[in-house]
Amino acid sequence: MRPLTPGLVVEAGSSVDNHTGAWRTERPRFLSVACNGCDLCAVYCPEGVVFKAAPKRYDFDPDFCKGCGICVEECPVDDIVMEAEIR
Amino acid sequence: MKVMEGAEAIADAVRAAGPKVVSAYPITPQTHIVEALSQAVADGRLDAEFITVESEHSAASVVLGAAATGVRTFTATSSQGLLYMAEVVLNIAGMRLPVVMTVANRALSSPLSIWNDHQDSMTLRDSGWIQLFAQTAQEAHDLHLVAYRIAEDPRVLLPVMVCVDGFVLTHAFEPVEPVSDEAVSRYLPPLSLPFVLDPARPATFGAYADPTVYTEARFAIEAAQRRSAQVLSQALGEFAALTGREYSPDFDRYRLDDADVVMVAMGTAAQTAQVAVDEMRDEGVAAGLVAIRRFRPFPAAELVAALGNASRIVVFDRSVSLGSGGIVAGELRSALYGRLLPQIVGVVAGLGGRDVSVETLTQAFRAERDGWIDLRPDLEEIAP
Ligand code: SF4
Ligand code: SF4
């Protein structure tokens, strides 16, 4: 049995372990075809989980992406698409 | 024995309990309590931080944070102030912090009223706080000490709301025998929490709970609520040994043993109801009274045991679940369902400071069906 502390007090930094991406129903796919490297997807992502993987190639961290689609909305060259989350 | 204002009697108990942090925003009719405490801090009679804030939401947040560092805390509010706190009130219970708060019961807007009824604390009855209702200034004084004792008990770790009728109790002067500081220090051991906020050992309170643990965390609060009834009983037993003043841990029983018609009431109206019971007895009605002291956890089993002889129960409610009915009446029906089968009549009255006289209560005793009594026949909403 896993002990439950009164009030569910946990060690600091627990948000690293709480994978809030679990409630996502859609996920972005970065096509990396027309990307101009403007960085807007990374800037506007409310979770701060979009990162530059290589010049003009961006990706996201699925553990924390909540699937809001803001990156898709902001991309000026439509280089990101939303897809159904399949688990 | 001193003659004290209810608010002063409460403030004196809190001062003796020695909270390290007091934070509140002034709101009628609670203000005199924290006024007296801020004076005690200024005079050096209470070694505490008195943190002034711009709102009740912040007052509750301050005591939440302070309690999490492992110190005794206090706040007080009324009416809209309690509603404004509501978000934090639920967090305090969820984080299992032993905050003690006075609610000087006052009606809710709208329409605006500064006067007494129970709608404010009843609106937060599902929050996880233990709720105790006092009938007199002496009891209010005493229950605040008991409140710290049970809130901080390792078997409980839940906040306690001590509910007192605004003005009727807070602003009335009564003879009070304050518990001596020395006796209080024997009754209340130093606070020791299993987890505290400490920069040396960082921790997260109120962390995100995913669906795999949320239910269990909520159930733990429910279990602590249930355990608190026994802890309260013990704490009141020790309090009686210390002061000679006895309080039952669930409700007072007045002329109940042979009662056929029983009124259920809470707060100061229960004192008036004793007179109404006597009058009904003079008329030949075998009347009795249950005066609920512990509304949360609700004393369901105790009520079943106490009400077995009653054929008719009248519940006097000073709050209402609009669209449903008196709140205590609903809870009582739910507690007795399938166990006892008396006639239960839920009577709503005494809202927004409407005087609860002996006549109001004898009228309630005679009510035949659920509803609001004491309504003025000359006032009715214009047909829409
Ligand atoms: S969908 Fe939302 S959360 Fe996920 S990467 Fe795009 S902007 Fe960030
Ligand atoms: S917003 Fe579009 S174009 Fe700009 S960096 Fe992101 S993917 Fe590339």
Side-chain angles (χ1 to χ4, degrees), chain A residues 28 30 44-47 49-50 60 65-71 82:
Chain A
F30 289 73
Y44 278 101
C45 170
E47 296 297 301
V49 299
V50 175
F60 73 108
C65 162
K66 60 186 176 192
C68 66
I70 288 175
C71 50
M82 286 310 268

Side-chain angles (χ1 to χ4, degrees), chain A residues 61-83:
Chain A
D61 182 347
D63 284 350
F64 297 100
C65 162
K66 60 186 176 192
C68 66
I70 288 175
C71 50
V72 174
E73 198 63 33
E74 293 300 330
C75 177
V77 293
D78 296 334
D79 201 37
I80 318 171
V81 292
M82 286 310 268
E83 302 183 323

Side-chain angles (χ1 to χ4, degrees), chain A residues 2 4-15 17-23, chain B residues 94-96 157 194-195 202-210 212-213 216-217 220:
Chain A
R2 191 151 64 103
L4 203 62
T5 57
L8 218 64
V9 176
V10 294
E11 264 181 56
S14 60
S15 51
D17 303 322
N18 287 329
H19 291 172
T20 47
W23 63 53
Chain B
M95 293 187 207
R96 309 291 298 279
L157 294 178
F195 302 98
T204 303
F205 281 60
Y208 169 70
D210 71 24
T212 66
V213 293
E216 287 71 17

